[in-house]
Amino acid sequence: MIKCPKCGKEYRDDAVFCTDCGIRLHEQYTAPNTDAGADSDQHTYTAPTGETYHKSAPSAPGAPSDGRVLSMWDYFLMELVTKVPILRIVMYCVWGFSADTNENRKNWSRAQLIWAAIGIVFTVAGIALAALLAGTTTAIFSRISDYMHF
């Protein structure tokens, strides 16, 4: 049996992570540095190879780097708001470039803006191609009609 060095919970020898505190069971755990001036939200992990890793605690929801997972209702409301054509582009810009937006929503909005730009490029190219073909077709039929006398 392996005992978690941080919380003391016991696990089988093949366990990799502690389900209570989340640390790797086969790494040494060093308590957070509480020296004056040190960030108390950091945890230091020392691997058996001697490498030291620092991990900061996640930021609070609503902070600029809000990394929480969006709920089903968040997605539902995002889709509902984007059903209104003009509001869609405005909200994509607000969500995509605002500093205090959830990272999931920000990335989704930026991806939607990229798809919209791709759609606009293909639409403009299609209209230009259709105009070119219409002009060419008109020119061909006018030449054919010049040679045909009924």
Side-chain angles (χ1 to χ4, degrees):
M1 296 291 281
I2 298 175
K3 192 172 185 180
C4 175
K6 183 177 177 187
C7 68
K9 188 171 180 181
E10 290 190 3
Y11 293 95
R12 295 188 326 217
D13 290 337
D14 60 343
V16 179
F17 292 98
C18 175
T19 57
D20 285 349
C21 61
I23 69 165
R24 286 184 74 86
L25 295 174
H26 297 288
E27 291 180 355
Q28 296 175 350
Y29 172 74
T30 306
N33 188 355
T34 56
D35 295 340
D39 185 6
S40 63
D41 289 336
Q42 274 194 346
H43 297 278
T44 303
Y45 299 95
T46 305
T49 60
E51 296 176 74
T52 302
Y53 301 95
H54 300 283
K55 180 180 178 186
S56 298
S59 60
S65 61
D66 181 10
R68 70 179 176 83
V69 176
L70 294 175
S71 71
M72 187 270 312
W73 288 110
D74 289 332
Y75 280 107
F76 178 80
L77 290 174
M78 283 175 15
E79 288 291 329
L80 182 65
V81 166
T82 59
K83 297 301 179 201
V84 180
I86 300 298
L87 186 59
R88 173 185 316 163
I89 299 299
V90 170
M91 291 311 295
Y92 284 161
C93 291
V94 169
W95 290 332
F97 302 108
S98 177
D100 60 347
T101 300
N102 181 287
E103 288 294 320
N104 297 322
R105 183 178 287 129
K106 182 182 289 190
N107 291 333
W108 178 78
S109 299
R110 288 178 178 177
Q112 295 300 320
L113 285 169
I114 291 170
W115 279 116
I118 290 171
I120 289 169
V121 167
F122 277 114
T123 301
V124 168
I127 290 171
L129 182 64
L132 179 68
L133 289 176
T136 305
T137 305
T138 303
I140 290 172
F141 282 126
S142 68
R143 287 196 173 192
I144 290 174
S145 66
D146 288 343
Y147 294 109
M148 299 177 77
H149 301 288
F150 292 106

